[in-house]
């Protein structure tokens, strides 16, 4: 296109980019700490950093040959690179072929290929540019991983098999950009279906969605609250149902060929609640990595405890409330409950509790419902939920300290 433009058209583009992009961005790059400038994408490693800095570099490279802009374009490129634009570039999946070649590690290319083959991820022009044939058929990939920065764990029965069984659970910092109050949140896949789902984020344009303060309006929206994220909920009210600045670490992570277990300390998510002394959640993949177990242990006094799981499956609960069957697309998942209190499965709509804020802007969670266990006014508890592909008669329960 550029070669077919007239000199006047090119000059119009040069002037527009210079006046509407380059001059304002150079102010930020030259002095990002100056009061009044929006320089967050230079100083912080977020997706804004990647998109804005890379966009500026692309524009600068496109106009580099214009004699009057060469020096400015060079400064833009150098400054954008200084702005940490590459910290989050791994999030761009089509870059995996490039990193495979750059680092000499075929695991990156293998992940991208399998993503396209198994999960039908579309190919892009970048894939064509960076793809190199693999020298080995299937690099060895771990069946479990602990991610230190996010304090999260993923466990799998197999990699890149659509019917594999997996459970992923998250602790970490509740106030990361784009996050929700989700300490202890989990998702579960098996038999090619997702059994424990998440509703996703709320619409960006709802009032005060970006208010991340301790009592910010962001935490009134169902999808931003723990009750909407398969996370642990204790003593829910109009206030945020987890502490927005909590940091919840992984305290145990053990695995062998047959199993994997992890434990998260969620106590900090309830630091503002004097009734809660401690809160832990464990997740395990056992019995040849076919059975998933979730276990909560909570201590304190007069605690209103909720175990919650959003699901798209149809739910059938046994008369005694101790077992449930999830069904979708001709598949079944069998759940069994064990608790040191009288506990039962129940089904609720995927919407706020009666005691929670009810913003009119909440999205409708169509197709989702919520499997819950509610224990009001307990001082301590141990609750275990087992997910298995076939019915079981009992659950083997051990304290989390023995996991």
């Amino acid at each position: 296109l550029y070669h077919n433009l007239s000199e006047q058209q090119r000059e119009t583009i040069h002037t527009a980019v210079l006046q509407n992009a380059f001059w304002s961005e150079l102010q930020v790059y030259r002095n990002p700490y100056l009061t009044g400038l929006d320089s967050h994408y230079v100083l912080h490693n977020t997706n804004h950093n990647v998109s804005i800095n890379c966009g500026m570099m692309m524009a600068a490279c496109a106009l580099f040959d214009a004699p009057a802009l060469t020096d400015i374009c060079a400064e833009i490129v150098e400054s954008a690179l200084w702005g940490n634009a590459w910290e989050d570039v791994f999030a761009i999946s089509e870059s995996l072929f490039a990193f495979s070649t750059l680092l000499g590690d075929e695991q990156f290319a293998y992940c991208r290929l399998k993503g396209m083959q198994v999960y039908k991820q579309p190919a892009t022009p970048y894939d064509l540019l960076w793809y190199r044939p693999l020298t080995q058929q299937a690099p060895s990939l771990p069946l479990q991983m602990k991610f230190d920065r996010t304090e999260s764990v993923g466990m799998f029965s197999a990699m890149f098999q659509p019917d594999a069984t997996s459970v992923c659970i998250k602790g970490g910092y509740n106030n990361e950009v784009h996050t929700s109050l989700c300490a202890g949140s989990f998702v579960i896949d098996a038999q090619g279906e997702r059994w424990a789902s998440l509703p996703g984020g709320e619409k960006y344009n709802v009032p005060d969605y970006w208010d991340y303060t301790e009592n910010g309006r962001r935490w009134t929206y169902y999808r931003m609250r723990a009750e909407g994220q398969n996370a642990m909920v204790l003593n829910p009210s109009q206030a945020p149902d987890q502490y927005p600045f909590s940091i919840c670490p992984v305290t145990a992570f053990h695995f062998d060929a047959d199993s994997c277990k992890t434990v998260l300390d969620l106590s900090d998510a309830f630091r503002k609640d004097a009734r809660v002394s401690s809160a832990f959640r464990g997740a395990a993949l056992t019995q040849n990595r076919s059975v998933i177990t979730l276990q909560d242990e909570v201590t304190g006094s007069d605690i209103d405890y909720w175990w919650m799981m959003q699901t798209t499956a149809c739910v059938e609960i046994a008369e005694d409330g101790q077992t449930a069957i999830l069904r979708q697309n001709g598949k079944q998942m069998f759940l069994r409950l064990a608790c040191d209190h009288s506990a039962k499965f129940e089904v609720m709509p995927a919407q706020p509790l009666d005691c929670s804020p009810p913003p009119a802007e909440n999205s409708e969670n169509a197709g989702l419902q919520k499997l819950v266990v509610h224990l009001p006014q307990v001082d301590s508890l141990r609750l275990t939920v087992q997910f298995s592909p076939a019915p079981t008669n009992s659950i083997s329960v051990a304290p989390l300290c023995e996991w």
Side-chain angles (χ1 to χ4, degrees), residues 175-282:
N175 216 280
E176 291 278 8
V177 175
H178 293 296
T179 196
S180 53
L181 303 178
C182 57
S185 182
F186 60 90
V187 293
I188 291 174
D189 292 346
Q191 307 171 63
E193 304 291 339
R194 173 148 293 182
W195 302 99
S197 302
L198 295 173
E202 190 49 85
K203 299 181 292 292
Y204 283 10
N205 62 348
V206 297
D208 298 318
Y209 180 74
W210 303 104
D211 182 0
Y212 285 89
T213 58
E214 182 173 335
N215 292 297
R217 192 169 178 179
R218 178 183 183 86
W219 315 125
T220 66
Y221 298 110
Y222 176 78
R223 293 185 174 191
M224 297 295 100
R225 292 172 63 82
E227 62 179 313
Q229 292 293 322
N230 299 347
M232 185 180 288
V233 176
L234 305 178
N235 303 321
S237 68
Q238 293 282 312
D241 52 0
Q242 289 186 354
Y243 179 52
F245 297 97
S246 64
I247 300 176
C248 298
V250 173
T251 58
F253 176 56
H254 308 292
F255 61 89
D256 55 31
D258 180 63
S259 65
C260 183
K261 298 179 180 181
T262 190
V263 178
L264 283 69
D265 183 353
L266 307 182
S267 304
D268 198 44
F270 308 101
R271 71 157 79 171
K272 294 288 186 174
D273 192 336
R275 291 168 292 180
V276 180
S277 300
S278 67
F280 291 84
R281 171 165 285 180

Side-chain angles (χ1 to χ4, degrees), residues 96-118:
L96 293 176
F97 282 144
F99 281 101
S100 178
T101 301
L102 180 66
L103 302 176
D105 188 341
E106 292 191 345
Q107 289 193 31
F108 294 105
Y110 183 74
C111 288
R112 178 59 177 154
L113 280 173
K114 282 299 182 180
M116 290 189 286
Q117 294 168 358
V118 178

